[in-house]
Amino acid sequence: KRYSCDDLLKEENVELLREVYTFSNSLMEESFEDFVNHVSKRDVAHVFYSSQNPQELVGLALWCVRSTLDPNVKVMMQGKLRIKQSYRNKGLHIQSALRFFCSEWLKSVITQRNLNVRFYFFSIASIFNYVSMKRQVVDSFILQAGPKGSQRTQESIQNLP
C-alpha cells in the first residue's frame, strides 16, 4: 500500500504508524522519535503485506523527490528500506522504486509538460550494500561531500553525468 508520509503522521493514523514503527524497529532498532523524524522528511511510504496473510507487514520503503537548480533534473532518495528476511530476494525494493519513479515521472511530465525530466537516484548504503548493489546498476559515482553548501559539494553536484 502507498501512503503519503504526511497522512501517516496524522493523529487518526497513529495506530498504523505504531505498527509500521514496530515492524521497522524489529529489523533495525531506533527510537520512535527518530523514526517519526525520518518519516516526516519523506514524501511517500510503501508498506508491503504478505499475500498469504494480509495482516502481516513484510516490508517498508520511504521515498522522497527533490528539485535541483535545473528544472529538468530531480533527485529521488530512498529513506528507510526494511524487508523481512523471508521476503528478501523477491524484488519488493525494486517494485517500490519503480512505482515511485513512475508516479514522480508522470507527475513531472503532467505538471511541467516536459518529457525530458531526468531523475537521479541517491542512496546512502553501507559498504556491504554498495558492493551488492553495484552489480545491479548501470553506472554509479560517489559524491565528494563537504560541509553543506561548500564549494566541493557544489562542484560534485554540478558535475553529475
Side-chain angles (χ1 to χ4, degrees), residues 54-117:
Q55 305 301 316
E56 180 189 9
L57 207 155
V58 299
L60 166 69
L62 299 179
W63 293 97
C64 67
V65 69
R66 297 296 180 253
S67 298
T68 65
L69 295 176
D70 182 342
N72 292 323
V73 176
K74 306 280 183 187
V75 178
M76 209 171 98
M77 295 180 284
Q78 186 172 39
K80 292 198 178 306
L81 176 62
R82 303 287 185 260
I83 297 176
K84 192 174 180 179
Q85 185 68 36
S86 58
Y87 280 81
R88 293 190 180 169
N89 296 322
K90 297 189 185 298
L92 293 180
H93 62 299
I94 294 172
Q95 181 187 110
S96 179
L98 288 173
R99 284 183 177 194
F100 186 71
F101 167 73
C102 289
S103 68
E104 291 300 320
W105 184 80
L106 280 172
K107 195 184 312 178
S108 291
V109 168
I110 290 168
T111 59
Q112 295 179 357
R113 301 196 190 292
N114 181 352
L115 296 174
N116 297 317
V117 176

Side-chain angles (χ1 to χ4, degrees), residues 115-131:
L115 296 174
N116 297 317
V117 176
R118 290 180 313 212
F119 281 83
Y120 288 92
F121 174 69
F122 281 170
S123 176
I124 298 174
S126 73
I127 187 64
F128 301 108
N129 288 344
Y130 176 77
V131 170

